[in-house]
Amino acid sequence: MSSPARRNRERAATDREIRRTARTLLVEHGPEAVTLRAIARELGLTAPALYRYYGSRDDLVEHLRRDIVTDLGAELASDSAGLPGDGPRQLFSICRGFRQWALTHMNEFTLVFASPTGEIGTGRSSVATLNHVSEPLGHAFLVAAGRVLTTHRIAAPGDDIVPPELRDDLAAYRDSLLSVLSDSGLAVTADRFTLGTTYLMMQFWARIYGHVTLEVFGNYPIPVAKPDALFDAVLADLAREIGLDVDLP
Amino acid sequence: MSSPARRNRERAATDREIRRTARTLLVEHGPEAVTLRAIARELGLTAPALYRYYGSRDDLVEHLRRDIVTDLGAELASDSAGLPGDGPRQLFSICRGFRQWALTHMNEFTLVFASPTGEIGTGRSSVATLNHVSEPLGHAFLVAAGRVLTTHRIAAPGDDIVPPELRDDLAAYRDSLLSVLSDSGLAVTADRFTLGTTYLMMQFWARIYGHVTLEVFGNYPIPVAKPDALFDAVLADLAREIGLDVDLP
DNA sequence: TGTACATCAGTGAACGCGCGTTCACTGATGTAC
DNA sequence: TGTACATCAGTGAACGCGCGTTCACTGATGTAC
């Protein structure tokens, strides 16, 4: 019989090589360099061979996007999991890791986090966001943030900090967060995870993302000699703002 | 003699048409649709004709970027100038206008504010930032912000809110801001425009930019039914944070 | 164990496409005397 | 006012390029009996 598994294994290996090559091209030469012909060339194949693996170039790029977020999330989660402590350290590690990754993988960042996707305002959004809680990145962020907010806050913020128009949206989101967190073995009750908490978490993410985007695209108002210090200052601001009773690690 | 001006006028008119067409292509079909051939086609010319106006495609795109920022800045400045009051209203008008423009001109926004340009961390940054104070957008923002900060703050923030590592950078920036403001006939003294003030202005811009980018690219954690309300909430937070003693208009 | 057959990863030629850019040119507009 | 000349916006053909995708094919690997 001579194992049918062998062909499968080789097929899977080739697939991995295709994605790896696409990734390298993206990182080193930008999104427009990710062409079927270039990938095939790099692999010593002919371009039509790739159609054994993907239906079209777009199909391949879509898989690439997913790969990127998945890998990023896994990496950040595992890095932060190795740290001691019960929350804040992990959360800040994820934030710093995200920034570091963005700075060193500008092209990947652009593709995944800063490319126009879909319509505006329809609620449909890109792959790489917290609203797809299953994404490892979102998951890592949420778990760390949830842990921090439940164990290190002085008091849960009142719902009054949330503008009335946003309460319905936030309530739905909060519920989905709570279920994700309880799946992670983190028992959080709604009285410690208020609408206000949810609002702060959203703002927290928005500021991290905003700062990182600004920095990656060189759109900072000033040339800053020590950008790391600036980011740390933002983290410290955020920590204070969400009411953490800890010093920054 | 039959005026030499005539040829010049026609040349200038054609140039404007070229840019307008490039702009339309960008808005409607994205950056990769801005090709010399497409522009020529639209104008009833042949592609080589464009070389009478621009040295290369890249050259044209660069001019396009500058046009976009210039027009945006002028538009926001003139809109806000029409409003009554002495500061806050103008500042918030500029912020809202920026967001509105970004949402309705996603492709232009991407080209100008969210495209990788130059190296990271070298201090060189894209065209469209506050560090090129001459840009109308930066100018409008600065003048409005400066006016607000000098007339509506309860007290200038102390320099102690600024992390020590950032003070040198901020001091240089503050000085250039002060000279821009005094060129606008706004006499601001350094004791009302502290390093802390400068720091807050920078953070202010970072949050606006961050929020807008997030929204434009659909990367918001939640589907928000009323995104306008969310933005207003962010503005209100910012107003509180920079210590404005005014209600939001 | 051997033989006929099925699967399927990869080939190589070809398709049509649109692109930026070059080059020698035309012909109208403007200039000098 | 008329004539010879210069300028220069725009033409049209051609260049070489790389792309995604199709198609009929080869040949090794695996399957059924």
Side-chain angles (χ1 to χ4, degrees), chain A residues 180-228:
Chain A
V180 170
L181 288 173
S182 84
D183 287 351
S184 306
L186 208 66
V188 187
T189 54
D191 65 312
R192 288 206 63 88
F193 207 132
T194 61
L195 279 195
T197 310
T198 313
Y199 183 66
L200 287 182
M201 275 190 51
M202 207 176 99
Q203 296 292 349
F204 191 114
W205 170 248
R207 286 189 64 178
I208 295 293
Y209 174 93
H211 181 101
V212 168
T213 309
L214 210 47
E215 197 176 348
V216 167
F217 293 138
N219 281 325
Y220 243 100
I222 333 178
V224 177
K226 295 177 179 153
D228 293 357

Side-chain angles (χ1 to χ4, degrees), chain A residues 1-3 7 35-37 41 48 51 57:
Chain A
M1 49 160 55
S2 166
S3 85
R7 237 197 212 160
T35 68
L36 296 181
R37 299 188 111 108
R41 217 177 294 130
Y51 283 81
R57 179 185 180 260

Side-chain angles (χ1 to χ4, degrees), chain B residues 124-141:
Chain B
R124 302 208 303 106
S125 58
S126 128
V127 163
T129 65
L130 290 187
N131 66 342
H132 287 179
V133 183
S134 55
E135 309 291 352
L137 174 58
H139 193 81
F141 183 82

Side-chain angles (χ1 to χ4, degrees), chain B residues 228-247:
Chain B
D228 291 357
L230 179 55
F231 189 68
D232 281 345
V234 170
L235 283 183
D237 276 357
L238 280 168
R240 192 170 30 72
E241 201 168 313
I242 67 176
L244 282 193
D245 58 349
V246 289
D247 284 337

Side-chain angles (χ1 to χ4, degrees), chain B residues 1 5 16-17 36 69 79 95 114 146 173 180 187 193 221 241 247:
Chain B
M1 55 161 48
R16 270 194 306 278
E17 279 213 89
L36 297 182
V69 198
D79 283 2
C95 295
Y173 187 53
V180 170
F193 207 134
E241 201 168 313
D247 284 337

Side-chain angles (χ1 to χ4, degrees), chain A residues 109-129:
Chain A
F109 177 80
T110 305
L111 178 67
V112 177
F113 290 96
S115 296
T117 53
E119 292 88 311
I120 289 180
T122 57
R124 304 210 301 106
S125 58
S126 126
V127 162
T129 65

Side-chain angles (χ1 to χ4, degrees), chain B residues 6 11 14 18 31 37-38 41 47 75 123 128 158 161 168 193 198 207 217 235 241 245:
Chain B
R6 174 175 174 151
R11 190 186 157 83
T14 307
I18 292 171
R37 298 189 112 107
R41 217 178 294 131
E75 192 186 313
I161 67 166
D168 289 347
F193 207 134
T198 314
R207 284 187 66 177
F217 294 136
L235 283 183
E241 201 168 313
D245 58 349

